[in-house]
Amino acid sequence: MAFAAFATAEAVPQAPKRASRIGWFLLAPGLAYLALFFLTPLISLLLTSLQAPDLYGDIGAYVYAFNWQNYVDVVSEYGEHILRSFGYALVATAAALLISYPIAYYIGVRCRSRPLLQSILLVLVIAPFFISFLLRTLAWKQLLSDESFIITSLKALSLMAPDAHFTGTAFAVIFGLTYNFIPFMTLPIYTTLERLDTRYLEAGADLYGSPATVFRKVTLPLSMPGVVAGTLLTFIPAAGDYVNASRDFLGGTDTAMIGNVIEANFLVLLNYPAAAALSIILMAVILAIVGVYVKRAGTEDLL
């Protein structure tokens, strides 16, 4: 009996070890994928950002070094583009939130008793995804060109100066960013509001809360996870966007964002260290902003 009890006691600690081995075995494919397609390119990008020109090689050749001066150079040269990128992304995110929240609220709360209408509106929200991002942006360039019906009508109504242009301006770039990322803002907020227990709203009204008070005290706090997720899904890609700000689409000479600078350094100027350094700076700043924002919003579980 004593031997059996001893054997049983010894066997108990072995179960977690076996479970741990099985867990690592199941995680191995995912970890290998992340190491191959995320960690390895990130390390390569970091090493490239520290390269120095090869003084004894061909023009445009670089050698691996620890040239931290690359970061100082790109910040001093492209600091305006970095600030402009985050400024555009912030304004576009705020505009997308103001447009998307009422849409998500109507679909997720008001249309619960009408599932057919709810489904139709959801299809309309995601319908832009069926068309290429580039084609949608190019279509807006045609619609907002100086010869388009929209611009000529605004000028005829004296709502725009006769010699004014819409494309090539900061407003056009922000408009394009807002339009293209509205679905990314709407869907997370809708998902949160669709699961919202409407009895909380009824309780707020029963306690003599005005509609504005119920929204501010009940609806908005309960929908914050969706708001935070939507703003992150909008702000992060908008900060690195290079299509809308391009002169071939809605941008102009004074609207270039950090994505356009990275593209130019990598594909045109062949200045790979500068492009890599800008990419690292973009990622670092976004991570810092996201970390502070999520912590301030009280939704750390989203990280």
Side-chain angles (χ1 to χ4, degrees):
M1 294 294 292
F3 177 77
F6 178 76
T8 304
E10 287 293 325
V12 171
Q14 299 301 321
K17 292 183 178 179
R18 290 190 60 187
S20 177
R21 292 172 184 171
I22 294 175
W24 281 109
F25 178 77
L26 295 174
L27 285 173
L31 294 176
Y33 178 88
L34 289 175
L36 182 62
F37 294 104
F38 176 75
L39 187 60
T40 302
L42 182 61
I43 294 174
S44 176
L45 187 68
L46 180 60
L47 294 177
T48 303
S49 69
L50 299 174
Q51 286 182 342
D54 187 358
L55 300 179
Y56 304 101
D58 298 331
I59 298 176
Y62 298 91
V63 295
Y64 286 104
F66 289 96
N67 187 20
W68 297 100
Q69 187 63 31
N70 290 334
Y71 287 89
V72 178
D73 293 340
V74 296
V75 169
S76 60
E77 185 174 357
Y78 302 114
E80 180 183 357
H81 299 80
I82 296 173
L83 294 176
R84 182 185 299 138
S85 299
F86 289 106
Y88 285 177
L90 183 62
V91 175
T93 302
L97 178 60
L98 292 176
I99 296 172
S100 299
Y101 199 99
I103 297 173
Y105 181 83
Y106 182 79
I107 299 174
V109 178
R110 297 299 182 184
C111 293
R112 284 191 186 180
S113 59
R114 292 175 285 180
L116 179 59
L117 178 61
Q118 189 178 52
S119 301
I120 293 174
L121 293 177
L122 280 176
V123 170
L124 293 177
V125 169
I126 64 175
F129 287 139
F130 299 131
I131 304 174
S132 168
F133 180 89
L134 296 177
L135 290 179
R136 282 185 277 129
T137 308
L138 190 61
W140 275 116
K141 178 183 178 181
Q142 299 300 322
L143 290 172
L144 300 174
S145 63
D146 294 339
E147 300 80 14
S148 69
F149 173 77
I150 297 175
I151 301 301
T152 54
S153 299
L154 291 175
K155 291 181 179 180
L157 295 172
S158 299
L159 298 177
M160 286 184 64
D163 57 344
H165 306 278
F166 187 85
T167 56
T169 64
F171 187 78
V173 175
I174 294 173
F175 173 85
L177 292 173
T178 303
Y179 163 76
N180 281 303
F181 291 110
I182 279 179
F184 292 92
M185 180 72 75
T186 304
L187 293 177
I189 299 175
Y190 158 76
T191 302
T192 303
L193 290 173
E194 199 274 335
R195 297 197 303 264
L196 180 65
D197 191 345
T198 55
R199 289 177 297 182
Y200 292 120
L201 308 183
E202 296 171 0
D206 292 340
L207 294 173
Y208 304 102
S210 65
T213 303
V214 173
F215 174 79
R216 182 168 53 89
K217 295 289 187 178
V218 181
T219 307
L220 186 59
L222 292 177
S223 63
M224 277 306 295
V227 172
V228 173
T231 51
L232 293 180
L233 289 175
T234 302
F235 177 80
I236 294 174
D241 183 81
Y242 65 94
V243 174
N244 291 278
S246 172
R247 284 181 292 180
D248 296 329
F249 291 91
L250 297 175
T253 55
D254 298 326
T255 62
M257 298 171 62
I258 189 171
N260 305 107
V261 175
I262 293 174
E263 178 192 24
N265 276 278
F266 188 79
L267 298 179
V268 180
L269 303 176
L270 302 182
N271 191 349
Y272 304 124
L278 285 168
S279 301
I280 294 293
I281 291 173
L282 177 64
M283 287 189 292
V285 174
I286 286 178
L287 284 175
I289 293 175
V290 168
V292 173
Y293 173 64
V294 171
K295 189 174 181 62
R296 292 274 185 176
T299 51
E300 292 87 344
D301 54 324
L302 291 176
L303 288 177

